Amino acid sequence: MPDRGLLAALIEHEQFRDDYAGGGVLPDGLRHGPYWQRLIIPDLYESISQEKAVRILREWMDPPWDVPPELEADLQREVFARLASADGIHHLSEPGDEAIHDWGRVHDCFHEFVLIDRSAGRITLIVAADD
């Protein structure tokens, strides 16, 4: 299946209905992160390089303190190793103001990546968000 088909299947999955503001997945939910779920389409995802994805995530992380070694190990295993093994990395681009739901501006920063790893038969959704 082409990447666009995989992105469409991911968007339609009930687990995609998470506002990332503490409420968890709502199977009948209308929101995805700061956006109305119905307005997220595969064409909003830009194919990017591993280097660009790492740069975006490291800039987002840029903490004013040292990252604890346990957290750095978790991030390496769960995020950066998966980025390194992905065949395709897709970054959700800004869909515009009309896509932001009624309280979506609670997120100061929202980055979303879809990693496609065909050899592992895995799609990974990575969300880096502030609220």
Side-chain angles (χ1 to χ4, degrees):
M1 178 180 289
D3 286 4
R4 291 286 176 231
L6 294 172
L7 290 167
L10 173 71
I11 292 166
E12 290 303 315
H13 196 278
E14 72 178 31
Q15 292 291 310
F16 195 76
R17 291 169 176 83
D18 191 329
D19 57 34
Y20 297 99
V25 173
L26 299 173
D28 296 324
L30 304 174
R31 295 170 182 86
H32 175 74
Y35 309 117
W36 293 111
Q37 189 271 339
R38 73 182 187 284
L39 298 178
I40 304 297
I41 59 173
D43 288 345
L44 288 176
Y45 289 86
E46 173 191 8
S47 181
I48 64 171
S49 69
Q50 176 189 353
E51 294 78 17
K52 183 173 181 179
V54 167
R55 185 173 54 254
I56 291 168
L57 286 167
R58 289 287 180 193
E59 287 173 4
W60 173 79
M61 288 172 48
D62 191 25
W65 67 92
D66 290 331
V67 176
E70 304 83 30
L71 177 57
E72 185 65 40
D74 288 345
L75 290 169
Q76 183 57 43
R77 181 183 63 255
E78 298 297 331
V79 176
F80 296 109
R82 290 182 188 219
L83 279 169
S85 66
D87 301 308
I89 301 171
H90 303 277
H91 182 244
L92 180 61
S93 58
E94 174 62 45
D97 284 344
E98 68 280 354
I100 296 175
H101 63 70
D102 47 350
W103 52 267
R105 297 219 188 267
V106 69
H107 291 288
D108 294 329
C109 186
F110 186 86
H111 296 289
E112 177 172 306
F113 303 88
V114 177
L115 314 180
I116 298 172
D117 185 342
R118 294 183 186 283
S119 64
R122 178 175 54 213
I123 297 174
T124 302
L125 178 67
I126 296 173
V127 172
D130 297 340
D131 67 6

